[in-house]
Amino acid sequence: MSRDPICPLCLRPIPPGAKQSLHHLTPRLKGGKGGPVVLLHQICHNEIHARFTEAELARDLNTVAALRAHPALAGFLAWVAQRPPGFHSRSAGGRRKRRGR
């Protein structure tokens, strides 16, 4: 029996058929093309990109540990931890605020 992969952000299993995607730890547009990627639930991946800019991800949040430790994700992680592994909905957080525009 094979085990489902574990989402490193929310720590829930990713069952077959669940919406999922690969997240570049350093965004491709910021030099991460060909760099390390992690398999995440799609809802977790959406939440990352709803909360943070590409520059923030490249500069400060380019590890799973840094993402998990960021206070802006704490509420989402607590919320999604109570959902079944295959759960998906639109991102819980609003779109990030564009800075410098």
Side-chain angles (χ1 to χ4, degrees), residues 17 24 46 59 65 68 78 81 87 90-91:
H24 286 81
N46 292 351
R59 183 183 60 242
R68 285 188 47 78
F87 175 80
R90 294 187 68 195
S91 181

Side-chain angles (χ1 to χ4, degrees), residues 7-79:
C7 177
L9 191 65
C10 71
L11 305 179
R12 296 176 303 141
I14 304 173
K19 292 185 178 191
Q20 57 189 278
S21 62
L22 292 174
H23 172 65
H24 286 81
L25 290 172
T26 299
R28 288 177 295 187
L29 295 175
K30 298 290 183 181
K33 185 176 181 182
V37 296
V38 291
L39 181 66
L40 302 174
H41 288 105
Q42 187 66 52
I43 192 172
C44 295
H45 196 188
N46 292 351
E47 190 69 17
I48 290 169
H49 288 284
R51 298 271 178 183
F52 306 112
T53 65
E54 299 283 297
E56 288 170 319
L57 292 170
R59 183 183 60 242
D60 302 320
L61 300 168
N62 53 24
T63 67
V64 172
L67 287 165
R68 285 188 47 78
H70 197 286
L73 285 178
F76 169 77
L77 292 175
W79 174 80

